[in-house]
Amino acid sequence: TARALWKACNVAFLVASVLLTFRLLPAARLDTADRALVWCFALALSPTLTVLAVGQTSLLVLCALLSAAVLVDDGRPALAGLALAVAVTKPQLASALVLFLALRGAVRPLAVGAAVALALAALGLLVTGTSMRSYVAALGDYTAINGPTSHIAVGIASTLAHVLRLSTPVATAIGIARIISQKIWRITV
């Protein structure tokens, strides 16, 4: 079934993600026991188990992000851009790599990623018969319903309040600003 196939794909994304991480960190010189420990963490973490149980796309995005980083490192910016286009389907996960590439001046992977992401978004709108106006309106509705109680805002707010010793209202305002910037990112990408 489609569900079983997607679960198998998620396992493949997880395996590829761990192997790509090893490739990105050769200086760590992990011995066999350390590598086994990394595998145990990767397989036992609650987010991994949730993704495997529920069928989210986070492992696909993680694999795409790691692939993009490896491909940039290998001097293959066009392929890195293709991987980045997949990763920006979850901008809250991809934003750090996008910022890193921008600060590094890696224009080609960013340009290819943006072009492919925009083309895929346009294709999605075309195939579903959705206008850009109704899509933006739907995003607005979603934000109005989910924004104030979003786990992202609450998580960022509590982390900032604890780490930076901010008051809860200030940290909450920062968390809400993060959600708004995320929504703007989705509209512009």
Side-chain angles (χ1 to χ4, degrees):
T1 68
R3 181 182 210 128
L5 178 61
W6 183 244
K7 286 184 185 273
C9 287
N10 270 322
V11 170
F13 297 142
L14 175 63
V15 169
S17 294
V18 172
L19 294 174
L20 287 165
T21 301
F22 290 152
R23 177 127 182 251
L24 281 171
L25 303 172
R29 301 186 207 289
L30 300 176
D31 63 19
T32 304
D34 291 335
R35 285 179 180 257
L37 184 61
V38 170
W39 281 107
C40 288
F41 275 117
L43 295 169
L45 287 173
S46 176
T48 303
L49 297 175
T50 299
V51 168
L52 292 173
V54 178
Q56 298 170 339
T57 60
S58 299
L59 287 172
L60 166 65
V61 171
L62 174 63
C63 188
L65 285 169
L66 290 166
S67 295
V70 166
L71 289 164
V72 165
D73 197 43
D74 287 350
R76 299 166 75 182
L79 289 174
L82 290 174
L84 198 56
V86 172
V88 297
T89 58
K90 282 199 169 189
Q92 69 274 23
L93 299 180
S95 58
L97 181 62
V98 169
L99 178 61
F100 173 77
L101 292 174
L103 292 174
R104 190 174 168 182
V107 175
R108 192 162 173 217
L110 291 171
V112 170
V116 172
L118 286 172
L120 291 174
L123 179 64
L125 292 174
L126 182 66
V127 167
T128 61
T130 305
S131 71
M132 181 56 97
R133 177 171 287 159
S134 64
Y135 176 73
V136 170
L139 278 180
D141 292 344
Y142 176 82
T143 302
I145 293 168
N146 294 306
T149 59
S150 169
H151 67 283
I152 295 169
V154 171
I156 289 172
S158 62
T159 300
L160 286 173
H162 177 73
V163 173
L164 301 177
R165 303 197 190 283
L166 297 172
S167 68
T168 302
V170 170
T172 301
I174 292 171
I176 291 171
R178 167 70 167 102
I179 286 177
I180 292 168
S181 67
Q182 178 182 338
K183 299 306 176 191
I184 291 170
W185 171 258
R186 282 187 185 164
I187 292 170
T188 59
V189 170

